[in-house]
Short mmCIF file of all heavy atoms in Angstrom, two decimals:
data_model
loop_
_atom_site.label_atom_id
_atom_site.label_comp_id
_atom_site.label_asym_id
_atom_site.label_seq_id
_atom_site.Cartn_x
_atom_site.Cartn_y
_atom_site.Cartn_z
N THR Y 469 8.23 26.33 9.42
CA THR Y 469 8.24 26.17 7.97
C THR Y 469 9.53 26.69 7.35
O THR Y 469 10.16 27.62 7.85
CB THR Y 469 7.06 26.90 7.32
OG1 THR Y 469 7.11 28.29 7.65
CG2 THR Y 469 5.75 26.32 7.81
N ASN Y 470 9.92 26.07 6.24
CA ASN Y 470 11.08 26.49 5.46
C ASN Y 470 10.74 26.38 3.99
O ASN Y 470 10.00 25.48 3.58
CB ASN Y 470 12.29 25.62 5.78
CG ASN Y 470 12.87 25.90 7.14
OD1 ASN Y 470 13.56 26.89 7.35
ND2 ASN Y 470 12.57 25.02 8.10
N TYR Y 471 11.28 27.30 3.19
CA TYR Y 471 10.98 27.35 1.77
C TYR Y 471 12.24 27.54 0.93
O TYR Y 471 13.18 28.22 1.34
CB TYR Y 471 10.02 28.49 1.45
CG TYR Y 471 8.69 28.40 2.14
CD1 TYR Y 471 8.47 29.02 3.36
CD2 TYR Y 471 7.64 27.68 1.57
CE1 TYR Y 471 7.25 28.94 4.00
CE2 TYR Y 471 6.41 27.59 2.20
CZ TYR Y 471 6.22 28.22 3.42
OH TYR Y 471 5.00 28.14 4.05
N LYS Y 472 12.22 26.93 -0.25
CA LYS Y 472 13.27 27.20 -1.22
C LYS Y 472 13.04 28.62 -1.75
O LYS Y 472 11.90 29.08 -1.84
CB LYS Y 472 13.18 26.20 -2.38
CG LYS Y 472 14.37 26.23 -3.34
CD LYS Y 472 15.60 25.63 -2.71
CE LYS Y 472 16.76 25.57 -3.70
NZ LYS Y 472 17.96 24.96 -3.11
N ASP Y 473 14.13 29.29 -2.10
CA ASP Y 473 14.04 30.69 -2.52
C ASP Y 473 13.07 30.91 -3.68
O ASP Y 473 12.38 31.94 -3.72
CB ASP Y 473 15.42 31.21 -2.91
CG ASP Y 473 16.32 31.46 -1.71
OD1 ASP Y 473 15.80 31.50 -0.58
OD2 ASP Y 473 17.53 31.61 -1.91
N PHE Y 474 13.00 29.98 -4.62
CA PHE Y 474 12.18 30.21 -5.80
C PHE Y 474 10.67 30.14 -5.54
O PHE Y 474 9.88 30.47 -6.43
CB PHE Y 474 12.58 29.28 -6.96
CG PHE Y 474 12.62 27.81 -6.65
CD1 PHE Y 474 11.46 27.10 -6.37
CD2 PHE Y 474 13.83 27.14 -6.67
CE1 PHE Y 474 11.51 25.75 -6.09
CE2 PHE Y 474 13.89 25.77 -6.40
CZ PHE Y 474 12.73 25.08 -6.11
N VAL Y 475 10.26 29.74 -4.33
CA VAL Y 475 8.83 29.71 -4.01
C VAL Y 475 8.48 30.58 -2.80
O VAL Y 475 7.29 30.79 -2.52
CB VAL Y 475 8.30 28.28 -3.76
CG1 VAL Y 475 8.59 27.40 -4.96
CG2 VAL Y 475 8.89 27.69 -2.49
N ARG Y 476 9.47 31.10 -2.12
CA ARG Y 476 9.25 31.90 -0.92
C ARG Y 476 8.36 33.10 -1.23
O ARG Y 476 8.59 33.83 -2.18
CB ARG Y 476 10.58 32.38 -0.35
CG ARG Y 476 10.48 32.87 1.11
CD ARG Y 476 11.80 33.46 1.58
NE ARG Y 476 12.93 32.58 1.29
CZ ARG Y 476 13.30 31.54 2.04
NH1 ARG Y 476 12.62 31.24 3.14
NH2 ARG Y 476 14.34 30.80 1.69
N GLY Y 477 7.33 33.30 -0.40
CA GLY Y 477 6.41 34.40 -0.59
C GLY Y 477 5.24 34.08 -1.48
O GLY Y 477 4.27 34.84 -1.53
N ARG Y 478 5.31 32.97 -2.20
CA ARG Y 478 4.23 32.57 -3.10
C ARG Y 478 3.53 31.29 -2.63
O ARG Y 478 2.32 31.15 -2.82
CB ARG Y 478 4.77 32.34 -4.52
CG ARG Y 478 5.41 33.57 -5.14
CD ARG Y 478 5.76 33.33 -6.61
NE ARG Y 478 6.76 32.28 -6.77
CZ ARG Y 478 6.57 31.15 -7.46
NH1 ARG Y 478 5.41 30.93 -8.07
NH2 ARG Y 478 7.55 30.27 -7.58
N PHE Y 479 4.28 30.36 -2.04
CA PHE Y 479 3.73 29.10 -1.59
C PHE Y 479 3.62 29.06 -0.07
O PHE Y 479 4.43 29.67 0.63
CB PHE Y 479 4.62 27.93 -2.02
CG PHE Y 479 4.67 27.66 -3.50
CD1 PHE Y 479 4.08 28.53 -4.41
CD2 PHE Y 479 5.33 26.53 -3.97
CE1 PHE Y 479 4.14 28.27 -5.78
CE2 PHE Y 479 5.39 26.27 -5.33
CZ PHE Y 479 4.80 27.14 -6.23
N THR Y 480 2.63 28.33 0.45
CA THR Y 480 2.47 28.14 1.88
C THR Y 480 2.25 26.66 2.17
O THR Y 480 1.32 26.06 1.64
CB THR Y 480 1.28 28.94 2.42
OG1 THR Y 480 1.47 30.33 2.15
CG2 THR Y 480 1.16 28.75 3.94
N ILE Y 481 3.11 26.09 3.01
CA ILE Y 481 2.98 24.69 3.39
C ILE Y 481 2.26 24.61 4.73
O ILE Y 481 2.46 25.44 5.61
CB ILE Y 481 4.36 24.00 3.46
CG1 ILE Y 481 4.20 22.50 3.72
CG2 ILE Y 481 5.25 24.64 4.52
CD1 ILE Y 481 5.51 21.71 3.60
N SER Y 482 1.41 23.61 4.89
CA SER Y 482 0.69 23.41 6.14
C SER Y 482 0.37 21.93 6.31
O SER Y 482 0.58 21.13 5.39
CB SER Y 482 -0.59 24.24 6.18
OG SER Y 482 -1.49 23.85 5.15
N LYS Y 483 -0.12 21.55 7.49
CA LYS Y 483 -0.49 20.17 7.73
C LYS Y 483 -1.60 20.08 8.76
O LYS Y 483 -1.82 21.00 9.55
CB LYS Y 483 0.72 19.34 8.19
CG LYS Y 483 1.31 19.80 9.52
CD LYS Y 483 2.43 18.88 9.96
CE LYS Y 483 3.02 19.32 11.29
NZ LYS Y 483 4.08 18.38 11.77
N ASP Y 484 -2.30 18.96 8.74
CA ASP Y 484 -3.37 18.67 9.70
C ASP Y 484 -3.03 17.32 10.31
O ASP Y 484 -3.18 16.29 9.66
CB ASP Y 484 -4.72 18.64 8.99
CG ASP Y 484 -5.89 18.46 9.95
OD1 ASP Y 484 -5.73 17.78 10.99
OD2 ASP Y 484 -6.97 18.99 9.67
N ASN Y 485 -2.58 17.32 11.55
CA ASN Y 485 -2.13 16.09 12.20
C ASN Y 485 -3.27 15.11 12.47
O ASN Y 485 -3.06 13.90 12.49
CB ASN Y 485 -1.41 16.41 13.51
CG ASN Y 485 -0.06 17.05 13.31
OD1 ASN Y 485 0.60 16.80 12.30
ND2 ASN Y 485 0.35 17.87 14.25
N VAL Y 486 -4.47 15.63 12.69
CA VAL Y 486 -5.61 14.76 12.95
C VAL Y 486 -6.01 14.00 11.69
O VAL Y 486 -6.26 12.80 11.72
CB VAL Y 486 -6.82 15.57 13.48
CG1 VAL Y 486 -8.04 14.67 13.62
CG2 VAL Y 486 -6.48 16.21 14.81
N LYS Y 487 -6.05 14.71 10.56
CA LYS Y 487 -6.40 14.10 9.29
C LYS Y 487 -5.22 13.40 8.62
O LYS Y 487 -5.41 12.68 7.64
CB LYS Y 487 -6.96 15.15 8.34
CG LYS Y 487 -8.27 15.78 8.79
CD LYS Y 487 -8.75 16.79 7.77
CE LYS Y 487 -10.06 17.41 8.18
NZ LYS Y 487 -10.53 18.43 7.20
N LYS Y 488 -4.01 13.62 9.14
CA LYS Y 488 -2.77 13.11 8.54
C LYS Y 488 -2.67 13.57 7.09
O LYS Y 488 -2.44 12.79 6.16
CB LYS Y 488 -2.69 11.59 8.64
CG LYS Y 488 -2.64 11.09 10.08
CD LYS Y 488 -2.20 9.64 10.18
CE LYS Y 488 -3.23 8.71 9.58
NZ LYS Y 488 -2.83 7.29 9.76
N MET Y 489 -2.86 14.88 6.91
CA MET Y 489 -2.83 15.50 5.59
C MET Y 489 -1.82 16.64 5.55
O MET Y 489 -1.70 17.41 6.50
CB MET Y 489 -4.21 16.05 5.23
CG MET Y 489 -5.29 15.01 5.06
SD MET Y 489 -5.16 14.16 3.47
CE MET Y 489 -5.60 15.48 2.35
N GLY Y 490 -1.13 16.75 4.45
CA GLY Y 490 -0.25 17.87 4.19
C GLY Y 490 -0.80 18.67 3.03
O GLY Y 490 -1.51 18.13 2.17
N TYR Y 491 -0.47 19.96 2.99
CA TYR Y 491 -0.99 20.83 1.94
C TYR Y 491 0.08 21.77 1.43
O TYR Y 491 1.04 22.09 2.14
CB TYR Y 491 -2.16 21.68 2.47
CG TYR Y 491 -3.27 20.88 3.10
CD1 TYR Y 491 -3.30 20.68 4.47
CD2 TYR Y 491 -4.27 20.31 2.32
CE1 TYR Y 491 -4.31 19.93 5.06
CE2 TYR Y 491 -5.29 19.57 2.90
CZ TYR Y 491 -5.30 19.38 4.26
OH TYR Y 491 -6.32 18.64 4.84
N LEU Y 492 -0.08 22.20 0.19
CA LEU Y 492 0.78 23.21 -0.38
C LEU Y 492 -0.10 24.17 -1.16
O LEU Y 492 -0.60 23.84 -2.24
CB LEU Y 492 1.84 22.61 -1.30
CG LEU Y 492 2.87 23.60 -1.84
CD1 LEU Y 492 3.76 24.11 -0.71
CD2 LEU Y 492 3.73 22.95 -2.93
N GLN Y 493 -0.31 25.36 -0.60
CA GLN Y 493 -1.07 26.41 -1.28
C GLN Y 493 -0.11 27.17 -2.18
O GLN Y 493 0.87 27.74 -1.69
CB GLN Y 493 -1.72 27.35 -0.27
CG GLN Y 493 -2.47 28.52 -0.90
CD GLN Y 493 -3.66 28.07 -1.72
OE1 GLN Y 493 -4.50 27.31 -1.25
NE2 GLN Y 493 -3.75 28.54 -2.95
N MET Y 494 -0.38 27.19 -3.47
CA MET Y 494 0.49 27.82 -4.44
C MET Y 494 -0.22 29.02 -5.07
O MET Y 494 -1.28 28.86 -5.68
CB MET Y 494 0.91 26.83 -5.52
CG MET Y 494 1.57 25.57 -4.96
SD MET Y 494 2.15 24.45 -6.27
CE MET Y 494 0.57 23.95 -6.97
N ASN Y 495 0.36 30.19 -4.91
CA ASN Y 495 -0.17 31.42 -5.49
C ASN Y 495 0.84 32.02 -6.45
O ASN Y 495 2.02 31.69 -6.40
CB ASN Y 495 -0.52 32.43 -4.39
CG ASN Y 495 -1.56 31.93 -3.42
OD1 ASN Y 495 -2.53 31.28 -3.81
ND2 ASN Y 495 -1.38 32.24 -2.14
N SER Y 496 0.38 32.93 -7.28
CA SER Y 496 1.24 33.63 -8.24
C SER Y 496 2.11 32.64 -9.02
O SER Y 496 3.31 32.82 -9.17
CB SER Y 496 2.13 34.64 -7.51
OG SER Y 496 1.35 35.58 -6.80
N LEU Y 497 1.48 31.61 -9.53
CA LEU Y 497 2.20 30.55 -10.22
C LEU Y 497 2.87 31.04 -11.50
O LEU Y 497 2.34 31.89 -12.21
CB LEU Y 497 1.26 29.39 -10.53
CG LEU Y 497 0.93 28.51 -9.33
CD1 LEU Y 497 -0.31 27.68 -9.59
CD2 LEU Y 497 2.12 27.61 -9.00
N LYS Y 498 4.05 30.48 -11.75
CA LYS Y 498 4.85 30.82 -12.92
C LYS Y 498 5.02 29.58 -13.79
O LYS Y 498 4.88 28.45 -13.31
CB LYS Y 498 6.23 31.33 -12.49
CG LYS Y 498 6.21 32.49 -11.52
CD LYS Y 498 7.63 32.82 -11.06
CE LYS Y 498 7.63 33.97 -10.08
NZ LYS Y 498 9.01 34.28 -9.60
N ALA Y 499 5.36 29.79 -15.04
CA ALA Y 499 5.57 28.68 -15.96
C ALA Y 499 6.64 27.72 -15.44
O ALA Y 499 6.53 26.50 -15.62
CB ALA Y 499 5.96 29.19 -17.35
N GLU Y 500 7.66 28.26 -14.79
CA GLU Y 500 8.75 27.43 -14.27
C GLU Y 500 8.35 26.58 -13.06
O GLU Y 500 9.14 25.75 -12.61
CB GLU Y 500 9.98 28.28 -13.93
CG GLU Y 500 9.69 29.49 -13.06
CD GLU Y 500 9.52 30.76 -13.86
OE1 GLU Y 500 8.82 30.74 -14.89
OE2 GLU Y 500 10.09 31.80 -13.45
N ASP Y 501 7.13 26.78 -12.55
CA ASP Y 501 6.62 25.93 -11.48
C ASP Y 501 6.07 24.62 -12.02
O ASP Y 501 5.72 23.72 -11.24
CB ASP Y 501 5.53 26.65 -10.68
CG ASP Y 501 6.05 27.85 -9.91
OD1 ASP Y 501 7.16 27.77 -9.34
OD2 ASP Y 501 5.34 28.88 -9.88
N THR Y 502 5.96 24.51 -13.33
CA THR Y 502 5.45 23.30 -13.95
C THR Y 502 6.34 22.11 -13.58
O THR Y 502 7.54 22.14 -13.81
CB THR Y 502 5.40 23.45 -15.48
OG1 THR Y 502 4.45 24.47 -15.82
CG2 THR Y 502 4.98 22.15 -16.15
N ALA Y 503 5.74 21.08 -13.00
CA ALA Y 503 6.48 19.91 -12.54
C ALA Y 503 5.51 18.91 -11.95
O ALA Y 503 4.32 19.20 -11.77
CB ALA Y 503 7.51 20.31 -11.48
N VAL Y 504 6.02 17.73 -11.62
CA VAL Y 504 5.28 16.76 -10.83
C VAL Y 504 5.66 16.99 -9.38
O VAL Y 504 6.85 17.01 -9.05
CB VAL Y 504 5.58 15.31 -11.25
CG1 VAL Y 504 4.82 14.33 -10.36
CG2 VAL Y 504 5.22 15.09 -12.70
N TYR Y 505 4.68 17.17 -8.52
CA TYR Y 505 4.92 17.47 -7.12
C TYR Y 505 4.68 16.24 -6.24
O TYR Y 505 3.70 15.52 -6.41
CB TYR Y 505 4.01 18.61 -6.66
CG TYR Y 505 4.47 19.96 -7.17
CD1 TYR Y 505 4.33 20.30 -8.51
CD2 TYR Y 505 5.06 20.89 -6.31
CE1 TYR Y 505 4.76 21.52 -8.99
CE2 TYR Y 505 5.50 22.12 -6.78
CZ TYR Y 505 5.35 22.43 -8.12
OH TYR Y 505 5.77 23.66 -8.59
N TYR Y 506 5.60 16.02 -5.29
CA TYR Y 506 5.56 14.88 -4.39
C TYR Y 506 5.68 15.34 -2.94
O TYR Y 506 6.21 16.41 -2.67
CB TYR Y 506 6.72 13.93 -4.65
CG TYR Y 506 6.84 13.41 -6.06
CD1 TYR Y 506 7.51 14.14 -7.03
CD2 TYR Y 506 6.31 12.18 -6.41
CE1 TYR Y 506 7.65 13.66 -8.33
CE2 TYR Y 506 6.44 11.69 -7.70
CZ TYR Y 506 7.12 12.44 -8.65
OH TYR Y 506 7.25 11.95 -9.93
N CYS Y 507 5.22 14.50 -2.01
CA CYS Y 507 5.44 14.76 -0.60
C CYS Y 507 6.17 13.57 0.02
O CYS Y 507 6.13 12.46 -0.50
CB CYS Y 507 4.12 15.02 0.14
SG CYS Y 507 2.90 13.70 0.04
N ASN Y 508 6.86 13.82 1.13
CA ASN Y 508 7.59 12.78 1.83
C ASN Y 508 8.11 13.34 3.16
O ASN Y 508 7.90 14.51 3.46
CB ASN Y 508 8.75 12.24 0.99
CG ASN Y 508 8.99 10.76 1.20
OD1 ASN Y 508 9.00 10.28 2.34
ND2 ASN Y 508 9.19 10.02 0.11
N PHE Y 509 8.77 12.47 3.93
CA PHE Y 509 9.42 12.86 5.17
C PHE Y 509 10.92 12.93 4.91
O PHE Y 509 11.57 11.89 4.82
CB PHE Y 509 9.13 11.85 6.28
CG PHE Y 509 7.68 11.66 6.61
CD1 PHE Y 509 7.19 10.41 6.94
CD2 PHE Y 509 6.80 12.73 6.62
CE1 PHE Y 509 5.86 10.23 7.26
CE2 PHE Y 509 5.46 12.57 6.94
CZ PHE Y 509 4.99 11.31 7.26
N PRO Y 510 11.50 14.12 4.80
CA PRO Y 510 12.92 14.23 4.42
C PRO Y 510 13.90 13.57 5.38
O PRO Y 510 14.98 13.17 4.95
CB PRO Y 510 13.14 15.75 4.36
CG PRO Y 510 12.07 16.33 5.22
CD PRO Y 510 10.88 15.43 5.01
N ASN Y 511 13.54 13.44 6.65
CA ASN Y 511 14.43 12.83 7.63
C ASN Y 511 14.21 11.33 7.76
O ASN Y 511 14.95 10.67 8.49
CB ASN Y 511 14.26 13.51 8.99
CG ASN Y 511 14.53 14.99 8.95
OD1 ASN Y 511 13.73 15.79 9.44
ND2 ASN Y 511 15.65 15.37 8.35
#
Side-chain angles (χ1 to χ4, degrees):
T469 59
N470 288 283
Y471 300 93
K472 190 73 176 181
D473 287 344
F474 53 68
V475 304
R476 197 186 311 278
R478 300 188 296 120
F479 292 8
T480 302
I481 186 172
S482 63
K483 63 176 180 177
D484 185 327
N485 289 330
V486 175
K487 296 181 179 179
K488 297 195 293 184
M489 294 283 291
Y491 306 95
L492 186 68
Q493 177 65 51
M494 305 183 293
N495 299 320
S496 302
L497 283 162
K498 305 174 181 179
E500 50 263 45
D501 294 320
T502 296
V504 178
Y505 285 72
Y506 304 85
C507 58
N508 214 315
F509 301 143
N511 302 131

